[in-house]
Amino acid sequence: MSPFDIDAPRWDQSTFMGRLKHFANITDWRTVALSDQRLDEAKALVESCRAGSLPPGTTEEQLHYAKKLYDSAFHPDTGDRMNLIGRMSFQVPGGMAITGFMLQFYRTVPAVVFWQWVNQSFNALVNYTNRNAASPITPKQIGIAYATATSTALATAVGLNLYTKKAPPLVARWVPFVAVASANCVNVPMMRQQEILHGIAVTDENGNKLGQSKKAAAKGITQVVVSRITMAAPGMIFLPIMMQRMERYKFMQRITYLHGPIQVMLVGVFLVFMVPAACSLFPQRCSMAVSSLEPELRDSIVSRYGERVQQVYFNKGL
């Protein structure tokens, strides 16, 4: 057997700093440039390590890097390779482009409609990719979730865009953030509605399944919504203030054609830090006291295990 436990956390997941180091590692945007073949090689090495049959000469550094690629590109529940755009490591390049253009093109209704639609399409794919795979969702439910979230974003953005015509310019610049935050409150729960309706699989500390819990699903989804809004907030709140002040300078007034690219790059700077920070707000392996579960599930666990099981655990998704 291999003496190296590849699934043991490198950093303490019970602390924010430990989780920050972990997510900074697996959301590294540079990994999106790697080929599927390279990712599959990393997966093969991880699986070999789990099976206790490492190739001769394999170093610990190589194992750490293989696990980084595995965690960044393969779903934690199924082990399947996730689509490129839906990975958290794509949040920086994908999010910076979309958010930058949302912040730049906020004045006209057609531009607001187009970029909010693009953003919600991106978000829907991210939410589906990072769902808890133990709770399958049908194509019809995906369509309803996508349409509902997109409609919410468009209604919020267009309504506020018209309402703020006479408001100070800075207020209008914040409309995209309000629309994004509102849509996240709809998009994530709708895309993961199966978990809300039927519960999410909960286990003991050793991974033994104990049942399905709707309360655990609600807790996990709420944390994901908070994380997503936190991820977008700094760039979409502070960047409009920065741009409004910068646009007063004559050199900025001479390069209006570069305002869009400038905002894209600045959003990227924010996201490099905020993607791992927002993912780190809550543990990926979420826990919940048995006493807080639904009465039926709680009684079932108590009858089988007595006082030996005090906490249940589940994958909250990202």
Side-chain angles (χ1 to χ4, degrees), residues 101-102 104-117 154:
F101 285 120
M102 277 196 297
Q104 176 63 21
F105 302 108
Y106 66 92
R107 293 181 177 88
T108 67
V109 171
V112 168
V113 169
F114 176 75
W115 286 108
Q116 286 293 335
W117 168 73
L154 293 180

Side-chain angles (χ1 to χ4, degrees), residues 149-200:
T150 303
S151 300
T152 301
L154 293 180
T156 303
V158 173
L160 289 177
N161 182 269
L162 297 174
Y163 183 74
T164 58
K165 288 294 184 183
K166 298 181 180 180
L170 183 58
V171 175
R173 286 177 179 267
W174 281 331
V175 167
F177 172 67
V178 178
V180 167
S182 301
N184 268 320
C185 292
V186 175
N187 198 337
V188 178
M190 287 294 292
M191 192 60 72
R192 297 175 60 177
Q193 58 187 284
Q194 287 295 95
E195 298 171 41
I196 298 173
L197 294 174
H198 304 293
I200 192 173

Side-chain angles (χ1 to χ4, degrees), residues 8-13 15-28 67-68 71-72 276 279-280 284 318:
R10 290 181 65 185
W11 299 281
D12 184 1
Q13 296 296 293
T15 68
F16 174 78
M17 287 307 299
R19 295 193 296 271
L20 181 62
K21 292 176 182 178
H22 169 73
F23 281 109
N25 189 46
I26 69 171
T27 63
D28 184 351
K67 188 59 163 58
K68 168 181 177 171
D71 288 342
S72 71
C279 290
S280 305
Q284 175 70 18
L318 284 175

Side-chain angles (χ1 to χ4, degrees), residues 230-298:
T230 302
M231 190 183 298
M236 300 190 79
I237 291 175
F238 295 116
L239 187 53
I241 299 174
M242 294 168 57
M243 287 300 296
Q244 180 160 303
R245 293 186 176 181
M246 290 168 61
E247 287 170 3
R248 295 173 185 170
Y249 297 103
K250 289 186 177 180
F251 81 92
M252 285 292 287
Q253 294 170 6
R254 289 195 297 267
I255 57 168
T256 54
Y257 57 92
L258 290 178
H259 288 190
I262 288 172
Q263 294 205 78
V264 168
M265 295 306 297
L266 289 175
V267 169
V269 173
F270 277 106
L271 287 178
V272 165
F273 296 99
M274 288 311 302
V275 169
C279 290
S280 305
L281 288 178
F282 309 101
Q284 175 70 18
R285 190 190 186 206
C286 198
S287 64
M288 194 171 187
V290 171
S291 59
S292 299
L293 297 172
E294 298 88 331
E296 301 84 0
L297 178 58
R298 181 185 64 224

Side-chain angles (χ1 to χ4, degrees), residues 195-216:
E195 298 171 41
I196 298 173
L197 294 174
H198 304 293
I200 192 173
V202 296
T203 69
D204 62 16
E205 61 181 351
N206 298 315
N208 301 308
K209 185 176 178 179
L210 301 175
Q212 301 282 125
S213 173
K214 297 178 184 178
K215 288 189 175 182

